[in-house]
Structure formats: structure tokens, C-alpha cells
């Protein structure tokens, strides 16, 4: 009897109808979340539908493979497509090795409470919030003028690489941070060195999430206009570049130019929508390839 009385007194007394009100409030919160999620999806489809409706009629083989003609009122956008891909590859060659190695250093080598990690993380967070036009001005001052690269693919790639570097560093660090320390200790106990553990165990396990960060950085780079405006983008450059020291056209800047200036803006509007659609398709294709690559690494991990 004493135990029953003790248990009876230890159970908190909820007011009548408390569980019903709790379920109703939870259902209302979930309903709000569903509506907001659906609203975001509808906005995305509305934007995509509008671009497809306006630009699909312009897309053709000639549009994708020819250079602009007649003051950019006709012809195609192939030089801009090629320039965009070159800048994406160049920025990846700059940001990926540096960003991944920095993330590895911050998570695997540096002291978790040391001042170096705190300082790098603080600077990384600050860099990720700097407007892209500031990166463009910095790239123009450093790469174009001081180092003498001029308006070139090299200068643009270095600038875009710096722009995407904070995202690569933080993504790599967070991906490696989620790997349990027991896996590292097991590898070391089997006789592997720290470098072998990182290269053979830690990086493969974190690779799916690292690739996600890399693709997000490429998606941001592909749509940037301000950095390439100061460092490499050409108003009209119908031929393909032959060197990393040449200028190039790029889809974001080409889209801006044909939308705001030119000999016949009305005639250029369909081309602008077609250019925007091609840029969206490029980003979607890169994301799909990234998804396939991520699944490939996940399958390899499951097999091992």
C-alpha cells in the first residue's frame, strides 16, 4: 500500500484534456510545416516553369553550338558555355585541394581547443559572409594587376576558388567530425599510421558528404557574376580561349549583358531566357552527377 501511494503521488497530475490539446497543437505545427514546405516547392516549380516556358523555344543545336552573331541578337552561346565550364573546373582545381586539406588539418591534426582552429573557423565564417563583389575587387587587385595575370581565365578561376573555399573547408570539417573516433583508434591499433588512417579510412567514409559540399560550391560558382566581371569575363568574345591567360565569355555575365544592354534588347530577351535555362540545366546535371558519385562511394563503404 505504501508503494502504491508513493507511486501515485510521484506521477504528475495533468489537467483534464491536456493530451488532446497536446496532440492538436502538434498536428497544427506539422500542418504549418507541410504548408511551408509545399509553398517552397511551388515557388521552385514556378520559377523553373517560367524559365522553361520563356526559354525552351530558343534552345536548339545551333543555339548550343554556335557563337553569338549580329550584336548578340542571334546565333548561339557556345563560347559562354565553354567559358563557364572552364571557370568551374579552374575554381575546383583551386578550392578542392586546399579546402579538403584545410578541413583535414582542422579536424585531424590541430588541437580541438587550440587557438589555430578557432582562428581559422572564425575567418572561414567571416569569408563565407563576404559579398561576392568584394572577392571580385580583391581578385582584380591581386591577380589581375599585382601578379600581372590580366583579365584571364586564371585570374577568374583563382578568384572563384577563393569564393568557394570557405564552404569546402566547413563541409569537409563537418563530414570528418561525424566519423566516430573508435574507427580511427581501431585503424591505428592495427598498425596504420595517422596519414594512412586518414587516407584509407577517414576520407573514404566522409567522402559522400564532402562531395555534397564540393557540388554546392560549384553551383555557387557557376552563377556568380561580380567576381568574373572584374577578373575575366568578356562582353563579346565569340572565339574559344586558347590559353588560361585569355578572357572568356560566361553564362551569368552573358545573361546580364543581353538583358541590360545591346543593340536590340527586345530581340535579345528570348536569348536571355534560353541562356538562363541552359545555366539551370548545367547546375542540375552537375547535381545529378554528384548524386551518382555520392552513391558510388556509399556503396563502396557498404561493401567494405
Amino acid at each position: 500500500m505504501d508503494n502504491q501511494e508513493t507511486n501515485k503521488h510521484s506521477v504528475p497530475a495533468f489537467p483534464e484534456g491536456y493530451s488532446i490539446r497536446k496532440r492538436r497543437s502538434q498536428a497544427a505545427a506539422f500542418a504549418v510545416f507541410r504548408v511551408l514546405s509545399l509553398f517552397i516547392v511551388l515557388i521552385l516549380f514556378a520559377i523553373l516553369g517560367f524559365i522553361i516556358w520563356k526559354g525552351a523555344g530558343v534552345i536548339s543545336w545551333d543555339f548550343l553550338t554556335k557563337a553569338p552573331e549580329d550584336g548578340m541578337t542571334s546565333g548561339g552561346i557556345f563560347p559562354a558555355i565553354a567559358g563557364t565550364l572552364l571557370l568551374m573546373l579552374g575554381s575546383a582545381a583551386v578550392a578542392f585541394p586546399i579546402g579538403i586539406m584545410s578541413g583535414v588539418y582542422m579536424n585531424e591534426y590541430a588541437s580541438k581547443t587550440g587557438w589555430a582552429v578557432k582562428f581559422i573557423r572564425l575567418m572561414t565564417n567571416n569569408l563565407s559572409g563576404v559579398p561576392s563583389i568584394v572577392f571580385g575587387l580583391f581578385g582584380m587587385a591581386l591577380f589581375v594587376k599585382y601578379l600581372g595575370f590580366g583579365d584571364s581565365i586564371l585570374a577568374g578561376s583563382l578568384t572563384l576558388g577563393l569564393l568557394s573555399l570557405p564552404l569546402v573547408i566547413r563541409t569537409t570539417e563537418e563530414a570528418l567530425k561525424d566519423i566516430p573516433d573508435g574507427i580511427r583508434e581501431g585503424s591505428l591499433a592495427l598498425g596504420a599510421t595517422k596519414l594512412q588512417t586518414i587516407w584509407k579510412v577517414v576520407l573514404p567514409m566522409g567522402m559522400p558528404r564532402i562531395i555534397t559540399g564540393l557540388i554546392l560550391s560549384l553551383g555557387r560558382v557557376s552563377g556568380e557574376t561580380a567576381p568574373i566581371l572584374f577578373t575575366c569575363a568578356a562582353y563579346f568574345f565569340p572565339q574559344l580561349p586558347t590559353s588560361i591567360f585569355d578572357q572568356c565569355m560566361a553564362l551569368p555575365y552573358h545573361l546580364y549583358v543581353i538583358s541590360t544592354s545591346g543593340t536590340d534588347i527586345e530581340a535579345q530577351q528570348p536569348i536571355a531566357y534560353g541562356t538562363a535555362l541552359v545555366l539551370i540545366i548545367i547546375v542540375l546535371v552537375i547535381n545529378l552527377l554528384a548524386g551518382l558519385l555520392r552513391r558510388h562511394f556509399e556503396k563502396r563503404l557498404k561493401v567494405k
Side-chain angles (χ1 to χ4, degrees):
M1 291 293 293
D2 293 338
N3 291 335
Q4 292 179 356
E5 290 179 0
T6 303
N7 293 334
K8 186 184 297 183
H9 289 297
S10 63
V11 176
F14 293 104
E16 187 177 354
Y18 173 80
S19 60
I20 298 176
R21 289 197 302 270
K22 187 176 180 180
R23 287 196 296 268
R24 287 177 179 176
S25 61
Q26 179 176 285
F30 286 162
V32 171
F33 293 153
R34 291 191 187 97
V35 171
L36 292 177
S37 301
L38 180 62
F39 183 66
I40 293 173
V41 173
L42 289 177
I43 291 176
L44 175 61
F45 277 105
I47 295 173
L48 290 176
F50 177 77
I51 297 298
I52 293 172
W53 177 54
K54 289 284 190 177
V58 183
I59 304 297
S60 65
W61 182 250
D62 290 340
F63 183 75
L64 297 175
T65 58
K66 286 187 174 181
E69 300 172 355
D70 300 329
M72 292 186 292
T73 58
S74 63
I77 58 170
F78 181 69
I81 296 175
T84 300
L85 295 178
L86 288 173
L87 289 173
M88 291 173 67
L89 291 174
S91 64
V94 174
F96 290 5
I98 299 175
I100 292 175
M101 287 189 291
S102 299
V104 169
Y105 168 77
M106 292 174 63
N107 193 76
E108 303 296 327
Y109 286 99
S111 173
K112 298 296 187 295
T113 58
W115 66 269
V117 171
K118 294 180 180 178
F119 179 76
I120 294 174
R121 189 174 291 121
L122 176 63
M123 292 298 101
T124 302
N125 292 334
N126 290 335
L127 279 176
S128 62
V130 173
S132 60
I133 193 170
V134 177
F135 281 95
L137 289 172
F138 175 78
M140 181 182 65
L142 178 61
F143 303 124
V144 176
K145 294 184 176 180
Y146 183 76
L147 296 179
F149 296 152
D151 292 330
S152 62
I153 296 174
L154 179 59
S157 298
L158 290 171
T159 304
L160 292 174
L162 292 179
L163 176 67
S164 58
L165 192 58
L167 180 58
V168 178
I169 293 175
R170 292 309 307 272
T171 305
T172 303
E173 184 187 6
E174 293 300 324
L176 301 182
K177 191 182 296 183
D178 289 341
I179 299 175
D181 290 335
I183 295 177
R184 298 177 178 84
E185 294 169 358
S187 176
L188 295 173
L190 292 173
T193 64
K194 190 172 183 64
L195 181 60
Q196 289 174 330
T197 300
I198 294 171
W199 183 254
K200 297 291 186 179
V201 179
V202 177
L203 279 179
M205 293 188 67
M207 193 56 67
R209 290 187 59 185
I210 293 175
I211 290 175
T212 302
L214 301 184
I215 298 307
L216 289 175
S217 67
L218 283 180
R220 182 184 181 186
V221 163
S222 65
E224 287 293 343
T225 305
I228 62 175
L229 173 64
F230 291 104
T231 55
C232 68
Y235 180 86
F236 184 71
F237 194 76
Q239 66 269 26
L240 294 179
T242 58
S243 168
I244 60 174
F245 295 100
D246 289 341
Q247 284 185 284
C248 68
M249 298 182 69
L251 288 173
Y253 183 60
H254 184 66
L255 177 60
Y256 167 75
V257 167
I258 61 179
S259 300
T260 58
S261 60
T263 57
D264 190 351
I265 295 180
E266 290 296 328
Q268 294 169 187
Q269 286 301 312
I271 300 177
Y273 288 114
T275 303
L277 181 57
V278 171
L279 183 58
I280 291 174
I281 291 173
I282 289 176
V283 175
L284 290 177
V285 169
I286 291 174
N287 287 332
L288 289 175
L289 293 176
L292 294 175
L293 191 59
R294 186 168 58 246
R295 290 180 183 178
H296 170 71
F297 280 104
E298 290 175 349
K299 288 181 180 178
R300 287 184 60 183
L301 288 175
K302 290 179 180 179
V303 170
K304 292 180 179 180

